[in-house]
Amino acid sequence: MAKVRDVCHHVRSKNAGPFWVTFDLFFDGAENYRKYHNSPALSPALFERLYGTDPALVKTIPVEDLAMVKISYPRATPQGGMEERDMHSGQQYVRLLEVELD
Amino acid sequence: MNEQFSDGVKILVPTGSLGAGVREDEVAYGVSRGAHAIASDAGSTDSGAAYLATGKSKNNRGAVKRDLTILMRAQKQAGIPIIIGTSGQAGGDINLDWTRDIVLEVAGELDMTPRIALLRCEQDKATVKRLNAAGRVRPLPPLGPLDDATVDACDHIVAVMGVEPYLAALESGADIILGGRSTDTAVLACFPIWKGAPWGQAWHAGKTGECGGQCAEERDVSGALLTVRDDGFDVEPLSLAARCTPHSVSAHMLYENTDPFRLTEPGGTLDVTAARYAPLDARTVRVTGSAWEPQSYTMKLEGAGGGRYQTIMLVGIQDPDVLCDIEGFHDRILAALYDRTRKSIPADELGEFHISLRMYGWNAMTGAPVPKGTPTPPEIGMLFVATAATQEIANAIAHACNPYFFHYPAVMDKELPSYGFAFTPADVPRGQVYEFKLNHVVAVDDPMELIRTEWIDLSVPQAQTLEAANG
């Protein structure tokens, strides 16, 4: 059972402007990239479940040259708003680490 | 490209953001390499809406003055223009004026007499409403159509500039350009474009250098040198101790973007799908294959406003009865705080209010239940955040809640001395909550339609301010 943390050497999250959060998942090597970058476990439904976002707006873009996949979603609450807990979304990636990919 | 630039147009990017710490030795290195211009942005939306809403800079005045002093000294020596975008962190008129005053002060101290162009892109509400009513404003996801109430809720609105206002200022002989809100990329791309470089190469170079040395592998570097050519561009860090690699340069396209291949800019899209990254030497990467697709001209609107007010309190808790049931404790005390607030403050005075508790050391980032079996931490920090219509009411809520926040028992009827307060007074008025209200673009007939260029020419004996209103 491979988790994101097992097959990626680096996972990060960051705000992409005030309304979007973006994740970069850098896989360990081309083989892990091929095997897992389009895993159904990383589908928009995951981001709906973990972050309460509209799955129809989730964007997924693989970057083969860097053996990574970029996944972005619109924030459910405004950046810096009343209930802000992570202004730059820099800690949002942690919830992805335990996601099981197969 | 202009024959004078057959070896490429060299842009010295001294830092990722003016005020973050320009390094004198790096600037000297860039100048010695024949830099034709110095360009940097001075902010972004990254740190939130407060800077646009209030007109304040994130960096302190001393830090910005220090950086500008180093850059203007280099300018005096090399005779090359300085181009600054998104002045004062947010690029609104107040942010721009703040930066202008520092530049004037430094010019006086260094005995310099530059021609300064101020590019203003702040929009008044009536203009935005007029453009919206004319059907020229459209939303970007996740926001919907713009309404007048949203425009009214903004304290300041800017239209994000592309290269054209900078090209016009360069063409009119500016020595220093202080731009309002601009895309980071445009600030770096404008000079090579002015000198005839292909737009795809110039925009991609601009994107690569937007954070200065961050496109390098070793991060102990502040700036980068971009050399834009007819057939590509080269990028190297300004510190000899650092190096760019094909991986570090291509990976920078991922940064703060949702799409690493296509970047929408005013007037077109940068497409790097076919870009190739190759080492030129041990520290320099050459990039080829970048393309620019012109499109109808749109500018992004950014609007920010201050909303309700907050007051916070913080306690540390080591009490084992709390720590063995943090979520149960959270839910009980939160309900008790709401109840006490409603009983302590008359409803008509209280209005709509909100209380949240964030359990630092447990689940403050997510607010979601932690996985079963998570070990109990040795202590947690409980942050109380009250939100209300005015600072006075937010303070009053904190005052009403203070006794419970002080010693609400984990187990009823069990006496507690107190949790660990960090401050006296215990409550900290935090001020307003600031939010970005717009995620929209406006279609313009002319890239200068929403821009006002203002000149300060210090070379004229008695400084004259010439205003040229465009559109």
Side-chain angles (χ1 to χ4, degrees):
Chain A
M1 198 59 93
K3 294 177 174 178
V4 168
R5 68 182 324 142
D6 301 327
V7 299
C8 291
H9 64 83
H10 187 40
V11 182
R12 66 188 183 190
S13 56
K14 184 78 178 68
N15 61 313
F19 297 93
W20 285 77
V21 178
T22 189
F23 296 91
D24 296 339
L25 283 73
F26 292 90
F27 290 91
D28 263 331
E31 192 182 335
N32 277 324
Y33 168 79
R34 270 194 303 275
K35 201 164 163 193
Y36 296 113
H37 81 271
N38 55 3
S39 161
L42 295 173
S43 72
L46 172 75
F47 293 84
E48 181 183 28
R49 181 162 60 79
L50 289 184
Y51 304 102
T53 193
D54 177 353
L57 292 176
V58 174
K59 292 195 227 175
T60 301
I61 300 177
V63 184
E64 193 173 354
D65 285 351
L66 296 171
M68 65 83 64
V69 63
K70 193 175 225 332
I71 308 176
S72 310
Y73 74 85
R75 273 170 160 271
T77 56
Q79 185 192 23
M82 184 174 75
E83 295 183 79
E84 182 60 75
R85 292 167 180 267
D86 186 5
M87 266 287 302
H88 301 93
S89 303
Q91 294 297 302
Q92 298 303 303
Y93 73 94
V94 176
R95 274 178 267 181
L96 292 185
L97 297 177
E98 299 298 325
V99 170
E100 291 175 349
L101 296 176
D102 59 10
Chain B
M1 202 182 291
N2 186 324
E3 264 181 33
Q4 186 194 346
F5 298 98
S6 55
D7 289 336
V9 184
K10 291 187 191 312
I11 306 300
L12 192 170
V13 188
T15 175
S17 183
L18 186 75
V22 167
R23 299 188 192 176
E24 206 152 7
D25 56 337
E26 290 190 5
V27 174
Y29 173 75
V31 168
S32 77
R33 290 290 314 278
H36 299 110
I38 296 171
S40 172
D41 73 57
S44 75
T45 58
D46 203 32
S47 293
Y51 307 100
L52 179 59
T54 63
K56 285 181 185 156
S57 167
K58 190 175 79 167
N59 289 311
N60 71 50
R61 193 179 195 281
V64 172
K65 184 177 173 183
R66 177 195 165 279
D67 281 4
L68 278 169
T69 303
I70 293 172
L71 299 183
M72 287 169 69
R73 267 202 208 111
Q75 170 171 51
K76 196 172 180 178
Q77 179 202 337
I80 55 179
I82 294 175
I83 303 163
I84 303 293
T86 309
S87 297
Q89 186 67 29
D93 280 350
I94 305 171
N95 308 86
L96 185 56
D97 292 344
W98 181 84
T99 311
R100 170 201 62 197
D101 290 348
I102 301 173
V103 166
L104 293 177
E105 192 174 300
V106 174
E109 289 172 9
L110 297 180
D111 198 22
M112 292 172 68
T113 55
R115 291 195 79 212
I116 303 165
L118 304 174
L119 310 179
R120 296 190 185 275
C121 61
E122 179 151 348
Q123 308 301 314
D124 62 45
K125 291 177 184 176
T127 301
V128 177
K129 288 177 185 172
R130 174 176 58 78
L131 293 166
N132 192 30
R136 289 167 61 183
V137 176
R138 67 178 169 80
L140 299 171
L143 294 197
L146 187 60
D147 55 34
D148 285 356
T150 303
V151 176
D152 286 330
C154 294
D155 294 326
H156 296 283
I157 299 172
V158 289
V160 184
M161 292 186 280
V163 294
E164 289 78 4
Y166 289 89
L167 300 181
L170 287 165
E171 193 62 36
S172 299
D175 301 310
I176 296 177
I177 302 174
L178 298 179
R181 181 70 175 128
S182 314
T183 74
D184 297 356
T185 326
V187 180
L188 275 50
C190 64
F191 192 90
I193 286 175
W194 182 49
K195 290 300 181 189
W199 286 50
Q201 323 296 358
W203 279 104
H204 193 182
K207 172 64 190 168
T208 303
E210 63 170 350
C211 293
Q214 198 169 319
C215 58
E217 202 140 85
E218 308 292 337
R219 293 291 170 80
D220 186 28
V221 54
S222 181
L225 185 69
L226 306 168
T227 305
V228 186
R229 305 172 190 282
D230 276 329
D231 57 349
F233 70 92
D234 303 338
V235 53
E236 66 165 303
L238 283 179
S239 165
L240 291 173
R243 64 181 190 278
C244 286
T245 64
H247 185 274
S248 74
V249 172
S250 62
H252 188 73
M253 282 302 294
L254 304 170
Y255 188 67
E256 291 177 349
N257 270 341
T258 57
D259 188 331
F261 294 116
R262 291 174 62 79
L263 198 66
T264 306
E265 294 280 349
T269 296
L270 167 65
D271 186 342
V272 305
T273 313
R276 288 293 165 259
Y277 305 80
L280 192 64
D281 59 38
R283 302 174 50 253
T284 310
V285 169
R286 173 159 290 181
V287 184
T288 53
S290 329
W292 174 256
E293 296 170 7
Q295 283 155 350
S296 58
Y297 209 92
T298 56
M299 298 172 85
K300 198 165 176 186
L301 294 172
E302 290 174 358
R308 295 193 285 170
Y309 291 76
Q310 292 188 323
T311 300
I312 62 175
M313 296 192 284
L314 174 67
V315 290
I317 304 178
Q318 290 187 317
D319 182 283
D321 290 332
V322 173
L323 296 178
C324 73
D325 179 23
I326 296 172
E327 277 154 42
F329 176 78
H330 167 277
D331 294 351
R332 287 192 299 277
I333 185 172
L334 184 61
L337 294 174
Y338 265 100
D339 187 51
R340 184 172 173 93
T341 299
R342 290 200 177 95
K343 283 177 178 155
S344 307
I345 304 172
D348 56 342
E349 194 183 313
L350 186 57
E352 243 184 78
F353 74 105
H354 183 269
I355 296 172
S356 74
L357 295 172
R358 297 142 194 218
M359 314 306 262
Y360 280 88
W362 189 245
N363 66 348
M365 292 291 115
T366 64
V370 303
K372 278 196 171 32
T374 302
T376 302
E379 64 178 48
I380 55 167
M382 181 165 69
L383 180 72
F384 164 100
V385 184
T387 308
T390 68
Q391 190 69 66
E392 289 68 31
I393 298 170
N395 294 348
I397 294 169
H399 295 159
C401 291
N402 180 274
Y404 280 10
F405 201 69
F406 194 36
H407 52 213
Y408 184 81
V411 179
M412 286 302 158
D413 304 326
K414 191 169 170 182
E415 185 65 27
L416 255 185
S418 167
Y419 300 121
F421 272 83
F423 313 115
T424 178
D427 58 294
V428 183
R430 204 193 71 73
Q432 268 182 306
V433 174
Y434 296 103
E435 284 178 10
F436 283 107
K437 310 280 187 189
L438 302 179
N439 198 34
H440 296 75
V441 293
V442 56
V444 293
D445 301 325
D446 181 300
M448 302 302 283
E449 182 186 348
L450 299 175
I451 310 304
R452 298 165 332 274
T453 303
E454 193 178 307
W455 289 90
I456 301 172
D457 190 347
L458 294 180
S459 67
V460 176
Q462 285 181 336
Q464 289 178 359
T465 301
L466 306 173
E467 285 202 34
N470 298 286

